[in-house]
Amino acid sequence: TPPTRQRNPAMSPTITLLIAYPKAVIRAGLLKMLEGSGIRVVGEASHAREAVTMARKVEPDVVLVDAILPGVDSFDVVRKFRATVPDAKLLVLSAVDNPTYMARAHAAGASDYLLEELSADELVGAIRNAVAGKPPARGGRYTAFLAGLEKRDEAGPASGKLTPREQQVLRHISLGLPNKEIASSLSISVETVKEHVQNILRKMGLKDRTQAAVWAAQQEPA
């Protein structure tokens, strides 16, 4: 019996896709956009546990994940997909143009970060690029973010030691929360949050919140 040859999705006329997105109207729109593209949706899930279970069963070539899944950290879910279907490419789709979310998507191993207003051609192109191992399309927000990330990484952060409270604030920054929400979560004033943020940037040799979020995301376990 000849050995089984693993299918190369980049060379196949059909790419299989799993959509993990809570909004039914968005899932329906994605299905419509993919009609006739050679990309076949093999599963739809509205929450994380269902999506991970389904991924294990159907082993898709690509998983499209919402950046804000209900009740969970979506970027932790991206990591679970990496463990569950290690050969699958992971794309994050979001209504939020947020560089902190982009930083966490990048650190979690996502191939691209897409915004909901993308066109059908952009969606299909992003999926095909990911499967082929190509970088995100030029001119997009994620491409610009990655270019800036490379420049920021050249110097690298310092190794200042953060206090426990500063570590808490940094974790909240990495989740994309603004100062007001961090203050509410930690029961401190907005001015105190601003002071902690400045201390974090100074101690770690970082220039801005996005760079801090990138650094924090990179420290998260794979």
Side-chain angles (χ1 to χ4, degrees), residues 10-144:
M11 301 300 293
S12 172
T14 301
I15 293 172
T16 57
L17 174 69
L18 170 64
I19 300 174
Y21 218 84
K23 302 174 187 175
V25 66
I26 296 295
R27 296 199 307 272
L30 293 171
L31 289 172
K32 185 70 176 177
M33 293 166 75
L34 293 172
E35 286 180 357
S37 67
I39 298 169
R40 181 166 59 92
V41 176
V42 292
E44 296 180 53
S46 59
H47 56 81
R49 181 177 298 180
E50 177 188 18
V52 172
T53 300
M54 192 177 296
R56 186 178 294 112
K57 180 178 179 180
V58 302
E59 296 185 346
D61 299 320
V62 180
V63 181
L64 189 62
V65 187
D66 186 6
I68 308 177
L69 288 169
V72 297
D73 184 325
S74 291
F75 304 104
D76 285 344
V77 175
V78 170
R79 289 184 170 85
K80 288 182 181 178
F81 279 123
R82 287 178 60 193
T84 302
V85 281
D87 293 331
K89 301 298 182 180
L90 301 163
L91 305 180
V92 174
L93 179 65
S94 177
V96 183
D97 183 356
N98 186 322
T100 301
Y101 287 176
M102 293 181 191
R104 299 200 71 216
H106 175 69
S111 296
D112 206 343
Y113 183 101
L114 310 170
L115 297 175
E116 283 183 1
E117 64 261 28
L118 83 173
S119 68
D121 286 345
E122 288 170 336
L123 175 62
V124 172
I127 293 171
R128 292 199 176 279
N129 278 350
V131 168
K134 297 179 180 178
R138 291 179 178 273
R141 285 284 292 112
Y142 193 57
T143 303

